[in-house]
PDB file of all heavy atoms in Angstrom:
ATOM      1  N   TRP A  30      99.030  94.602 100.040  1.00 98.00           N
ATOM      2  CA  TRP A  30     100.257  94.121 100.579  1.00 98.00           C
ATOM      3  C   TRP A  30     100.978  93.176  99.563  1.00 98.00           C
ATOM      4  O   TRP A  30     100.259  92.382  98.912  1.00 98.00           O
ATOM      5  CB  TRP A  30     100.014  93.195 101.861  1.00 98.00           C
ATOM      6  CG  TRP A  30      99.268  94.049 102.962  1.00 98.00           C
ATOM      7  CD1 TRP A  30      98.005  94.366 103.027  1.00 98.00           C
ATOM      8  CD2 TRP A  30      99.870  94.459 104.137  1.00 98.00           C
ATOM      9  NE1 TRP A  30      97.701  94.983 104.328  1.00 98.00           N
ATOM     10  CE2 TRP A  30      98.851  95.023 104.978  1.00 98.00           C
ATOM     11  CE3 TRP A  30     101.148  94.373 104.751  1.00 98.00           C
ATOM     12  CZ2 TRP A  30      99.023  95.555 106.295  1.00 98.00           C
ATOM     13  CZ3 TRP A  30     101.455  94.847 106.101  1.00 98.00           C
ATOM     14  CH2 TRP A  30     100.347  95.457 106.758  1.00 98.00           C
ATOM     15  N   GLY A  31     102.306  93.125  99.548  1.00 98.00           N
ATOM     16  CA  GLY A  31     102.944  92.155  98.793  1.00 98.00           C
ATOM     17  C   GLY A  31     103.232  92.427  97.291  1.00 98.00           C
ATOM     18  O   GLY A  31     103.145  93.568  96.942  1.00 98.00           O
ATOM     19  N   ASP A  32     103.647  91.415  96.641  1.00 97.00           N
ATOM     20  CA  ASP A  32     104.096  91.497  95.258  1.00 97.00           C
ATOM     21  C   ASP A  32     102.942  91.777  94.323  1.00 97.00           C
ATOM     22  O   ASP A  32     102.036  90.893  94.268  1.00 97.00           O
ATOM     23  CB  ASP A  32     104.929  90.281  94.827  1.00 97.00           C
ATOM     24  CG  ASP A  32     105.527  90.369  93.429  1.00 97.00           C
ATOM     25  OD1 ASP A  32     105.229  91.291  92.739  1.00 97.00           O
ATOM     26  OD2 ASP A  32     106.141  89.347  92.996  1.00 97.00           O
ATOM     27  N   ILE A  33     102.920  92.842  93.583  1.00 97.00           N
ATOM     28  CA  ILE A  33     101.763  93.163  92.715  1.00 97.00           C
ATOM     29  C   ILE A  33     101.632  92.179  91.580  1.00 97.00           C
ATOM     30  O   ILE A  33     100.577  92.050  90.897  1.00 97.00           O
ATOM     31  CB  ILE A  33     101.791  94.535  92.159  1.00 97.00           C
ATOM     32  CG1 ILE A  33     102.941  94.868  91.330  1.00 97.00           C
ATOM     33  CG2 ILE A  33     101.659  95.590  93.304  1.00 97.00           C
ATOM     34  CD1 ILE A  33     102.982  96.235  90.593  1.00 97.00           C
ATOM     35  N   ASN A  34     102.722  91.414  91.307  1.00 96.00           N
ATOM     36  CA  ASN A  34     102.712  90.445  90.180  1.00 96.00           C
ATOM     37  C   ASN A  34     102.392  89.043  90.665  1.00 96.00           C
ATOM     38  O   ASN A  34     102.389  88.117  89.850  1.00 96.00           O
ATOM     39  CB  ASN A  34     104.102  90.387  89.543  1.00 96.00           C
ATOM     40  CG  ASN A  34     104.401  91.763  88.783  1.00 96.00           C
ATOM     41  OD1 ASN A  34     103.632  92.322  88.131  1.00 96.00           O
ATOM     42  ND2 ASN A  34     105.560  92.305  89.165  1.00 96.00           N
ATOM     43  N   SER A  35     102.119  88.870  91.955  1.00 97.00           N
ATOM     44  CA  SER A  35     101.808  87.494  92.412  1.00 97.00           C
ATOM     45  C   SER A  35     100.488  86.964  91.806  1.00 97.00           C
ATOM     46  O   SER A  35      99.516  87.781  91.719  1.00 97.00           O
ATOM     47  CB  SER A  35     101.603  87.503  94.044  1.00 97.00           C
ATOM     48  OG  SER A  35     101.216  86.303  94.459  1.00 97.00           O
ATOM     49  N   GLN A  36     100.496  85.778  91.517  1.00 94.00           N
ATOM     50  CA  GLN A  36      99.300  85.141  90.914  1.00 94.00           C
ATOM     51  C   GLN A  36      98.295  84.584  92.003  1.00 94.00           C
ATOM     52  O   GLN A  36      97.174  84.224  91.672  1.00 94.00           O
ATOM     53  CB  GLN A  36      99.731  83.989  89.972  1.00 94.00           C
ATOM     54  CG  GLN A  36     100.507  84.444  88.754  1.00 94.00           C
ATOM     55  CD  GLN A  36      99.828  85.471  87.886  1.00 94.00           C
ATOM     56  OE1 GLN A  36      98.650  85.299  87.448  1.00 94.00           O
ATOM     57  NE2 GLN A  36     100.356  86.634  87.787  1.00 94.00           N
ATOM     58  N   ARG A  37      98.737  84.605  93.247  1.00 97.00           N
ATOM     59  CA  ARG A  37      97.818  84.233  94.360  1.00 97.00           C
ATOM     60  C   ARG A  37      97.513  85.431  95.080  1.00 97.00           C
ATOM     61  O   ARG A  37      98.381  86.149  95.669  1.00 97.00           O
ATOM     62  CB  ARG A  37      98.579  83.254  95.268  1.00 97.00           C
ATOM     63  CG  ARG A  37      99.042  81.907  94.614  1.00 97.00           C
ATOM     64  CD  ARG A  37      99.510  80.933  95.620  1.00 97.00           C
ATOM     65  NE  ARG A  37      98.518  80.464  96.459  1.00 97.00           N
ATOM     66  CZ  ARG A  37      98.605  79.467  97.432  1.00 97.00           C
ATOM     67  NH1 ARG A  37      99.819  79.031  97.614  1.00 97.00           N
ATOM     68  NH2 ARG A  37      97.590  79.018  98.112  1.00 97.00           N
ATOM     69  N   VAL A  38      96.226  85.743  95.111  1.00 98.00           N
ATOM     70  CA  VAL A  38      95.673  86.989  95.818  1.00 98.00           C
ATOM     71  C   VAL A  38      94.663  86.515  96.792  1.00 98.00           C
ATOM     72  O   VAL A  38      93.770  85.851  96.608  1.00 98.00           O
ATOM     73  CB  VAL A  38      95.032  87.849  94.716  1.00 98.00           C
ATOM     74  CG1 VAL A  38      94.529  89.119  95.380  1.00 98.00           C
ATOM     75  CG2 VAL A  38      96.062  88.259  93.648  1.00 98.00           C
ATOM     76  N   ALA A  39      94.754  87.196  97.954  1.00 98.00           N
ATOM     77  CA  ALA A  39      93.857  86.991  99.127  1.00 98.00           C
ATOM     78  C   ALA A  39      93.087  88.355  99.414  1.00 98.00           C
ATOM     79  O   ALA A  39      93.691  89.489  99.235  1.00 98.00           O
ATOM     80  CB  ALA A  39      94.516  86.537 100.278  1.00 98.00           C
ATOM     81  N   VAL A  40      91.860  88.306  99.629  1.00 98.00           N
ATOM     82  CA  VAL A  40      91.151  89.479 100.006  1.00 98.00           C
ATOM     83  C   VAL A  40      90.579  89.203 101.461  1.00 98.00           C
ATOM     84  O   VAL A  40      90.000  88.217 101.780  1.00 98.00           O
ATOM     85  CB  VAL A  40      89.902  89.670  99.094  1.00 98.00           C
ATOM     86  CG1 VAL A  40      89.067  90.901  99.574  1.00 98.00           C
ATOM     87  CG2 VAL A  40      90.498  90.028  97.698  1.00 98.00           C
ATOM     88  N   CYS A  41      90.864  90.223 102.397  1.00 98.00           N
ATOM     89  CA  CYS A  41      90.362  90.094 103.785  1.00 98.00           C
ATOM     90  C   CYS A  41      89.455  91.168 104.071  1.00 98.00           C
ATOM     91  O   CYS A  41      89.698  92.330 103.906  1.00 98.00           O
ATOM     92  CB  CYS A  41      91.552  90.135 104.665  1.00 98.00           C
ATOM     93  SG  CYS A  41      92.961  89.008 104.369  1.00 98.00           S
ATOM     94  N   VAL A  42      88.343  90.733 104.636  1.00 98.00           N
ATOM     95  CA  VAL A  42      87.172  91.684 105.076  1.00 98.00           C
ATOM     96  C   VAL A  42      86.756  91.407 106.479  1.00 98.00           C
ATOM     97  O   VAL A  42      86.561  90.289 106.871  1.00 98.00           O
ATOM     98  CB  VAL A  42      85.984  91.554 104.130  1.00 98.00           C
ATOM     99  CG1 VAL A  42      84.868  92.559 104.502  1.00 98.00           C
ATOM    100  CG2 VAL A  42      86.461  91.857 102.675  1.00 98.00           C
ATOM    101  N   HIS A  43      86.622  92.554 107.206  1.00 98.00           N
ATOM    102  CA  HIS A  43      86.415  92.492 108.710  1.00 98.00           C
ATOM    103  C   HIS A  43      85.020  92.238 109.084  1.00 98.00           C
ATOM    104  O   HIS A  43      84.117  92.151 108.276  1.00 98.00           O
ATOM    105  CB  HIS A  43      86.999  93.832 109.274  1.00 98.00           C
ATOM    106  CG  HIS A  43      86.234  94.974 108.556  1.00 98.00           C
ATOM    107  ND1 HIS A  43      84.955  95.376 108.877  1.00 98.00           N
ATOM    108  CD2 HIS A  43      86.712  95.879 107.635  1.00 98.00           C
ATOM    109  CE1 HIS A  43      84.691  96.480 108.134  1.00 98.00           C
ATOM    110  NE2 HIS A  43      85.799  96.779 107.361  1.00 98.00           N
ATOM    111  N   GLY A  44      84.842  92.337 110.374  1.00 98.00           N
ATOM    112  CA  GLY A  44      83.479  92.152 111.082  1.00 98.00           C
ATOM    113  C   GLY A  44      82.698  93.511 111.006  1.00 98.00           C
ATOM    114  O   GLY A  44      83.162  94.581 110.549  1.00 98.00           O
ATOM    115  N   LEU A  45      81.544  93.413 111.644  1.00 97.00           N
ATOM    116  CA  LEU A  45      80.558  94.498 111.542  1.00 97.00           C
ATOM    117  C   LEU A  45      81.029  95.884 111.886  1.00 97.00           C
ATOM    118  O   LEU A  45      80.750  96.809 111.149  1.00 97.00           O
ATOM    119  CB  LEU A  45      79.363  94.220 112.440  1.00 97.00           C
ATOM    120  CG  LEU A  45      78.211  95.165 112.498  1.00 97.00           C
ATOM    121  CD1 LEU A  45      77.564  95.272 111.062  1.00 97.00           C
ATOM    122  CD2 LEU A  45      77.138  94.684 113.552  1.00 97.00           C
ATOM    123  N   THR A  46      81.725  96.011 113.000  1.00 97.00           N
ATOM    124  CA  THR A  46      82.236  97.360 113.436  1.00 97.00           C
ATOM    125  C   THR A  46      83.764  97.467 113.384  1.00 97.00           C
ATOM    126  O   THR A  46      84.313  98.431 113.836  1.00 97.00           O
ATOM    127  CB  THR A  46      81.768  97.660 114.887  1.00 97.00           C
ATOM    128  OG1 THR A  46      82.524  96.867 115.818  1.00 97.00           O
ATOM    129  CG2 THR A  46      80.281  97.403 114.977  1.00 97.00           C
ATOM    130  N   ARG A  47      84.423  96.528 112.702  1.00 98.00           N
ATOM    131  CA  ARG A  47      85.921  96.487 112.726  1.00 98.00           C
ATOM    132  C   ARG A  47      86.438  97.138 111.534  1.00 98.00           C
ATOM    133  O   ARG A  47      85.748  97.866 110.798  1.00 98.00           O
ATOM    134  CB  ARG A  47      86.412  95.021 112.961  1.00 98.00           C
ATOM    135  CG  ARG A  47      85.885  94.363 114.213  1.00 98.00           C
ATOM    136  CD  ARG A  47      86.369  95.069 115.428  1.00 98.00           C
ATOM    137  NE  ARG A  47      87.882  95.339 115.378  1.00 98.00           N
ATOM    138  CZ  ARG A  47      88.440  96.252 116.009  1.00 98.00           C
ATOM    139  NH1 ARG A  47      87.890  97.162 116.800  1.00 98.00           N
ATOM    140  NH2 ARG A  47      89.797  96.301 115.974  1.00 98.00           N
ATOM    141  N   ASN A  48      87.742  96.930 111.229  1.00 98.00           N
ATOM    142  CA  ASN A  48      88.334  97.621 110.018  1.00 98.00           C
ATOM    143  C   ASN A  48      89.543  96.800 109.533  1.00 98.00           C
ATOM    144  O   ASN A  48      89.895  95.751 110.140  1.00 98.00           O
ATOM    145  CB  ASN A  48      88.786  99.020 110.458  1.00 98.00           C
ATOM    146  CG  ASN A  48      89.960  99.084 111.543  1.00 98.00           C
ATOM    147  OD1 ASN A  48      91.072  98.712 111.212  1.00 98.00           O
ATOM    148  ND2 ASN A  48      89.578  99.415 112.713  1.00 98.00           N
ATOM    149  N   ALA A  49      90.173  97.245 108.507  1.00 98.00           N
ATOM    150  CA  ALA A  49      91.211  96.505 107.772  1.00 98.00           C
ATOM    151  C   ALA A  49      92.299  96.123 108.694  1.00 98.00           C
ATOM    152  O   ALA A  49      93.043  95.127 108.457  1.00 98.00           O
ATOM    153  CB  ALA A  49      91.649  97.267 106.621  1.00 98.00           C
ATOM    154  N   HIS A  50      92.742  96.994 109.642  1.00 98.00           N
ATOM    155  CA  HIS A  50      93.948  96.692 110.460  1.00 98.00           C
ATOM    156  C   HIS A  50      93.804  95.468 111.256  1.00 98.00           C
ATOM    157  O   HIS A  50      94.816  94.969 111.803  1.00 98.00           O
ATOM    158  CB  HIS A  50      94.208  97.943 111.320  1.00 98.00           C
ATOM    159  CG  HIS A  50      94.662  99.077 110.653  1.00 98.00           C
ATOM    160  ND1 HIS A  50      95.763  99.070 109.806  1.00 98.00           N
ATOM    161  CD2 HIS A  50      94.272 100.283 110.467  1.00 98.00           C
ATOM    162  CE1 HIS A  50      96.082 100.198 109.205  1.00 98.00           C
ATOM    163  NE2 HIS A  50      95.068 101.006 109.576  1.00 98.00           N
ATOM    164  N   ASP A  51      92.689  94.851 111.469  1.00 98.00           N
ATOM    165  CA  ASP A  51      92.519  93.588 112.101  1.00 98.00           C
ATOM    166  C   ASP A  51      93.364  92.477 111.376  1.00 98.00           C
ATOM    167  O   ASP A  51      93.716  91.516 112.031  1.00 98.00           O
ATOM    168  CB  ASP A  51      91.049  93.095 112.195  1.00 98.00           C
ATOM    169  CG  ASP A  51      90.265  93.810 113.247  1.00 98.00           C
ATOM    170  OD1 ASP A  51      90.799  94.695 113.919  1.00 98.00           O
ATOM    171  OD2 ASP A  51      89.018  93.617 113.439  1.00 98.00           O
ATOM    172  N   PHE A  52      93.727  92.722 110.126  1.00 98.00           N
ATOM    173  CA  PHE A  52      94.330  91.720 109.293  1.00 98.00           C
ATOM    174  C   PHE A  52      95.793  92.062 109.065  1.00 98.00           C
ATOM    175  O   PHE A  52      96.456  91.431 108.273  1.00 98.00           O
ATOM    176  CB  PHE A  52      93.627  91.524 107.973  1.00 98.00           C
ATOM    177  CG  PHE A  52      92.237  91.066 108.171  1.00 98.00           C
ATOM    178  CD1 PHE A  52      91.136  91.890 107.896  1.00 98.00           C
ATOM    179  CD2 PHE A  52      91.971  89.698 108.431  1.00 98.00           C
ATOM    180  CE1 PHE A  52      89.884  91.379 108.000  1.00 98.00           C
ATOM    181  CE2 PHE A  52      90.711  89.221 108.596  1.00 98.00           C
ATOM    182  CZ  PHE A  52      89.627  90.057 108.337  1.00 98.00           C
ATOM    183  N   ASP A  53      96.348  93.023 109.764  1.00 98.00           N
ATOM    184  CA  ASP A  53      97.753  93.494 109.527  1.00 98.00           C
ATOM    185  C   ASP A  53      98.737  92.319 109.631  1.00 98.00           C
ATOM    186  O   ASP A  53      99.564  92.063 108.781  1.00 98.00           O
ATOM    187  CB  ASP A  53      98.120  94.651 110.392  1.00 98.00           C
ATOM    188  CG  ASP A  53      97.507  96.006 109.958  1.00 98.00           C
ATOM    189  OD1 ASP A  53      96.956  95.999 108.972  1.00 98.00           O
ATOM    190  OD2 ASP A  53      97.755  96.903 110.759  1.00 98.00           O
ATOM    191  N   ALA A  54      98.554  91.577 110.792  1.00 97.00           N
ATOM    192  CA  ALA A  54      99.586  90.441 111.023  1.00 97.00           C
ATOM    193  C   ALA A  54      99.219  89.331 110.038  1.00 97.00           C
ATOM    194  O   ALA A  54     100.193  88.685 109.490  1.00 97.00           O
ATOM    195  CB  ALA A  54      99.468  89.970 112.447  1.00 97.00           C
ATOM    196  N   LEU A  55      98.002  89.047 109.752  1.00 98.00           N
ATOM    197  CA  LEU A  55      97.693  87.899 108.946  1.00 98.00           C
ATOM    198  C   LEU A  55      98.142  88.208 107.494  1.00 98.00           C
ATOM    199  O   LEU A  55      98.738  87.386 106.794  1.00 98.00           O
ATOM    200  CB  LEU A  55      96.161  87.654 108.860  1.00 98.00           C
ATOM    201  CG  LEU A  55      95.665  86.592 107.937  1.00 98.00           C
ATOM    202  CD1 LEU A  55      96.276  85.335 108.157  1.00 98.00           C
ATOM    203  CD2 LEU A  55      94.137  86.592 107.913  1.00 98.00           C
ATOM    204  N   ALA A  56      97.935  89.479 107.028  1.00 98.00           N
ATOM    205  CA  ALA A  56      98.465  89.881 105.715  1.00 98.00           C
ATOM    206  C   ALA A  56      99.954  89.657 105.596  1.00 98.00           C
ATOM    207  O   ALA A  56     100.429  89.188 104.522  1.00 98.00           O
ATOM    208  CB  ALA A  56      98.039  91.333 105.470  1.00 98.00           C
ATOM    209  N   GLN A  57     100.649  90.007 106.626  1.00 98.00           N
ATOM    210  CA  GLN A  57     102.140  89.897 106.431  1.00 98.00           C
ATOM    211  C   GLN A  57     102.515  88.348 106.368  1.00 98.00           C
ATOM    212  O   GLN A  57     103.424  87.951 105.606  1.00 98.00           O
ATOM    213  CB  GLN A  57     102.790  90.454 107.705  1.00 98.00           C
ATOM    214  CG  GLN A  57     102.703  92.038 107.663  1.00 98.00           C
ATOM    215  CD  GLN A  57     103.301  92.679 108.858  1.00 98.00           C
ATOM    216  OE1 GLN A  57     104.582  92.628 109.074  1.00 98.00           O
ATOM    217  NE2 GLN A  57     102.499  93.295 109.711  1.00 98.00           N
ATOM    218  N   ALA A  58     101.821  87.510 107.109  1.00 98.00           N
ATOM    219  CA  ALA A  58     101.995  86.006 107.061  1.00 98.00           C
ATOM    220  C   ALA A  58     101.667  85.519 105.666  1.00 98.00           C
ATOM    221  O   ALA A  58     102.410  84.653 105.072  1.00 98.00           O
ATOM    222  CB  ALA A  58     101.215  85.407 108.055  1.00 98.00           C
ATOM    223  N   LEU A  59     100.646  86.046 105.093  1.00 98.00           N
ATOM    224  CA  LEU A  59     100.266  85.595 103.792  1.00 98.00           C
ATOM    225  C   LEU A  59     101.180  86.088 102.690  1.00 98.00           C
ATOM    226  O   LEU A  59     101.447  85.344 101.674  1.00 98.00           O
ATOM    227  CB  LEU A  59      98.773  86.075 103.421  1.00 98.00           C
ATOM    228  CG  LEU A  59      97.668  85.405 104.226  1.00 98.00           C
ATOM    229  CD1 LEU A  59      96.349  86.149 104.033  1.00 98.00           C
ATOM    230  CD2 LEU A  59      97.542  83.880 103.933  1.00 98.00           C
ATOM    231  N   VAL A  60     101.710  87.292 102.740  1.00 98.00           N
ATOM    232  CA  VAL A  60     102.752  87.749 101.953  1.00 98.00           C
ATOM    233  C   VAL A  60     103.998  86.973 101.940  1.00 98.00           C
ATOM    234  O   VAL A  60     104.611  86.641 100.964  1.00 98.00           O
ATOM    235  CB  VAL A  60     103.034  89.264 102.210  1.00 98.00           C
ATOM    236  CG1 VAL A  60     104.306  89.706 101.531  1.00 98.00           C
ATOM    237  CG2 VAL A  60     101.822  90.130 101.827  1.00 98.00           C
ATOM    238  N   ALA A  61     104.359  86.495 103.136  1.00 98.00           N
ATOM    239  CA  ALA A  61     105.479  85.701 103.333  1.00 98.00           C
ATOM    240  C   ALA A  61     105.353  84.310 102.491  1.00 98.00           C
ATOM    241  O   ALA A  61     106.364  83.619 102.246  1.00 98.00           O
ATOM    242  CB  ALA A  61     105.809  85.429 104.878  1.00 98.00           C
ATOM    243  N   LYS A  62     104.093  83.911 102.372  1.00 96.00           N
ATOM    244  CA  LYS A  62     103.770  82.716 101.666  1.00 96.00           C
ATOM    245  C   LYS A  62     103.660  83.020 100.206  1.00 96.00           C
ATOM    246  O   LYS A  62     103.287  82.084  99.448  1.00 96.00           O
ATOM    247  CB  LYS A  62     102.534  82.172 102.166  1.00 96.00           C
ATOM    248  CG  LYS A  62     102.601  81.594 103.634  1.00 96.00           C
ATOM    249  CD  LYS A  62     103.237  80.271 103.769  1.00 96.00           C
ATOM    250  CE  LYS A  62     103.048  79.705 105.115  1.00 96.00           C
ATOM    251  NZ  LYS A  62     103.597  78.385 105.328  1.00 96.00           N
ATOM    252  N   GLY A  63     103.942  84.126  99.653  1.00 97.00           N
ATOM    253  CA  GLY A  63     103.896  84.468  98.242  1.00 97.00           C
ATOM    254  C   GLY A  63     102.673  85.115  97.776  1.00 97.00           C
ATOM    255  O   GLY A  63     102.573  85.216  96.460  1.00 97.00           O
ATOM    256  N   ARG A  64     101.846  85.566  98.589  1.00 98.00           N
ATOM    257  CA  ARG A  64     100.522  86.213  98.114  1.00 98.00           C
ATOM    258  C   ARG A  64     100.633  87.676  98.025  1.00 98.00           C
ATOM    259  O   ARG A  64     101.378  88.326  98.783  1.00 98.00           O
ATOM    260  CB  ARG A  64      99.359  85.704  99.023  1.00 98.00           C
ATOM    261  CG  ARG A  64      99.164  84.267  98.922  1.00 98.00           C
ATOM    262  CD  ARG A  64      98.059  83.886  99.932  1.00 98.00           C
ATOM    263  NE  ARG A  64      97.652  82.510  99.935  1.00 98.00           N
ATOM    264  CZ  ARG A  64      98.243  81.487 100.417  1.00 98.00           C
ATOM    265  NH1 ARG A  64      99.378  81.745 101.134  1.00 98.00           N
ATOM    266  NH2 ARG A  64      97.748  80.280 100.268  1.00 98.00           N
ATOM    267  N   ARG A  65      99.733  88.250  97.139  1.00 98.00           N
ATOM    268  CA  ARG A  65      99.365  89.629  97.263  1.00 98.00           C
ATOM    269  C   ARG A  65      98.141  89.576  98.125  1.00 98.00           C
ATOM    270  O   ARG A  65      97.240  88.785  97.931  1.00 98.00           O
ATOM    271  CB  ARG A  65      99.159  90.177  95.906  1.00 98.00           C
ATOM    272  CG  ARG A  65      98.728  91.640  95.864  1.00 98.00           C
ATOM    273  CD  ARG A  65      98.467  92.159  94.455  1.00 98.00           C
ATOM    274  NE  ARG A  65      98.380  93.533  94.344  1.00 98.00           N
ATOM    275  CZ  ARG A  65      98.013  94.185  93.296  1.00 98.00           C
ATOM    276  NH1 ARG A  65      97.847  93.587  92.176  1.00 98.00           N
ATOM    277  NH2 ARG A  65      97.781  95.551  93.258  1.00 98.00           N
ATOM    278  N   VAL A  66      97.936  90.608  99.046  1.00 98.00           N
ATOM    279  CA  VAL A  66      96.814  90.598 100.008  1.00 98.00           C
ATOM    280  C   VAL A  66      96.237  92.045 100.034  1.00 98.00           C
ATOM    281  O   VAL A  66      96.884  93.002 100.076  1.00 98.00           O
ATOM    282  CB  VAL A  66      97.349  90.242 101.365  1.00 98.00           C
ATOM    283  CG1 VAL A  66      95.990  90.134 102.361  1.00 98.00           C
ATOM    284  CG2 VAL A  66      97.996  88.900 101.406  1.00 98.00           C
ATOM    285  N   PHE A  67      94.851  92.002  99.770  1.00 98.00           N
ATOM    286  CA  PHE A  67      94.072  93.232  99.975  1.00 98.00           C
ATOM    287  C   PHE A  67      93.267  93.190 101.263  1.00 98.00           C
ATOM    288  O   PHE A  67      92.594  92.178 101.552  1.00 98.00           O
ATOM    289  CB  PHE A  67      93.022  93.351  98.772  1.00 98.00           C
ATOM    290  CG  PHE A  67      93.733  93.763  97.576  1.00 98.00           C
ATOM    291  CD1 PHE A  67      94.278  92.695  96.665  1.00 98.00           C
ATOM    292  CD2 PHE A  67      93.726  95.124  97.039  1.00 98.00           C
ATOM    293  CE1 PHE A  67      94.848  93.105  95.419  1.00 98.00           C
ATOM    294  CE2 PHE A  67      94.361  95.392  95.890  1.00 98.00           C
ATOM    295  CZ  PHE A  67      94.937  94.401  95.111  1.00 98.00           C
ATOM    296  N   THR A  68      93.458  94.089 102.093  1.00 98.00           N
ATOM    297  CA  THR A  68      92.629  94.266 103.277  1.00 98.00           C
ATOM    298  C   THR A  68      91.776  95.468 103.221  1.00 98.00           C
ATOM    299  O   THR A  68      92.184  96.602 103.084  1.00 98.00           O
ATOM    300  CB  THR A  68      93.532  94.364 104.555  1.00 98.00           C
ATOM    301  OG1 THR A  68      94.479  95.352 104.468  1.00 98.00           O
ATOM    302  CG2 THR A  68      94.408  93.070 104.743  1.00 98.00           C
ATOM    303  N   LEU A  69      90.481  95.222 103.303  1.00 98.00           N
ATOM    304  CA  LEU A  69      89.499  96.281 102.962  1.00 98.00           C
ATOM    305  C   LEU A  69      88.809  96.836 104.198  1.00 98.00           C
ATOM    306  O   LEU A  69      88.554  96.246 105.200  1.00 98.00           O
ATOM    307  CB  LEU A  69      88.363  95.657 102.124  1.00 98.00           C
ATOM    308  CG  LEU A  69      88.524  95.545 100.585  1.00 98.00           C
ATOM    309  CD1 LEU A  69      89.828  94.749 100.314  1.00 98.00           C
ATOM    310  CD2 LEU A  69      87.298  94.929  99.966  1.00 98.00           C
ATOM    311  N   ASN A  70      88.621  98.253 104.111  1.00 98.00           N
ATOM    312  CA  ASN A  70      87.836  98.916 105.046  1.00 98.00           C
ATOM    313  C   ASN A  70      86.374  99.117 104.317  1.00 98.00           C
ATOM    314  O   ASN A  70      86.303  99.761 103.405  1.00 98.00           O
ATOM    315  CB  ASN A  70      88.394 100.349 105.397  1.00 98.00           C
ATOM    316  CG  ASN A  70      89.547 100.284 106.243  1.00 98.00           C
ATOM    317  OD1 ASN A  70      89.522  99.737 107.346  1.00 98.00           O
ATOM    318  ND2 ASN A  70      90.618 100.858 105.759  1.00 98.00           N
ATOM    319  N   MET A  71      85.410  98.486 104.885  1.00 98.00           N
ATOM    320  CA  MET A  71      84.109  98.737 104.306  1.00 98.00           C
ATOM    321  C   MET A  71      83.619 100.197 104.604  1.00 98.00           C
ATOM    322  O   MET A  71      84.187 100.762 105.603  1.00 98.00           O
ATOM    323  CB  MET A  71      83.048  97.759 104.868  1.00 98.00           C
ATOM    324  CG  MET A  71      83.463  96.309 104.596  1.00 98.00           C
ATOM    325  SD  MET A  71      83.990  95.966 102.826  1.00 98.00           S
ATOM    326  CE  MET A  71      82.455  96.397 101.924  1.00 98.00           C
ATOM    327  N   ALA A  72      82.694 100.638 103.939  1.00 98.00           N
ATOM    328  CA  ALA A  72      82.090 102.033 104.109  1.00 98.00           C
ATOM    329  C   ALA A  72      81.776 102.225 105.624  1.00 98.00           C
ATOM    330  O   ALA A  72      81.242 101.360 106.229  1.00 98.00           O
ATOM    331  CB  ALA A  72      80.922 102.263 103.260  1.00 98.00           C
ATOM    332  N   GLY A  73      82.221 103.355 106.114  1.00 97.00           N
ATOM    333  CA  GLY A  73      81.927 103.744 107.482  1.00 97.00           C
ATOM    334  C   GLY A  73      82.876 103.084 108.415  1.00 97.00           C
ATOM    335  O   GLY A  73      82.719 103.297 109.734  1.00 97.00           O
TER     336      GLY A  73
END
């Protein structure tokens, strides 16, 4: 999410059985603060 040139980068990782979409709203809020955000789906 966000500007690929941003110098502030956040990485979000979910709980045991969850997935990256748990952070959709948070990612948008972090982007609005100037960050690039990666939300990961762990294997499975």
Side-chain angles (χ1 to χ4, degrees):
W30 303 73
D32 182 357
I33 62 172
N34 295 313
S35 175
Q36 297 303 300
R37 299 190 70 180
V38 178
V40 176
C41 303
V42 179
H43 55 76
L45 181 61
T46 71
R47 298 301 305 158
N48 65 76
H50 288 302
D51 283 359
F52 298 106
D53 285 355
L55 176 60
Q57 293 179 64
L59 292 170
V60 168
K62 296 278 189 173
R64 291 173 177 83
R65 182 182 187 183
V66 183
F67 288 83
T68 56
L69 278 54
N70 288 304
M71 301 312 298

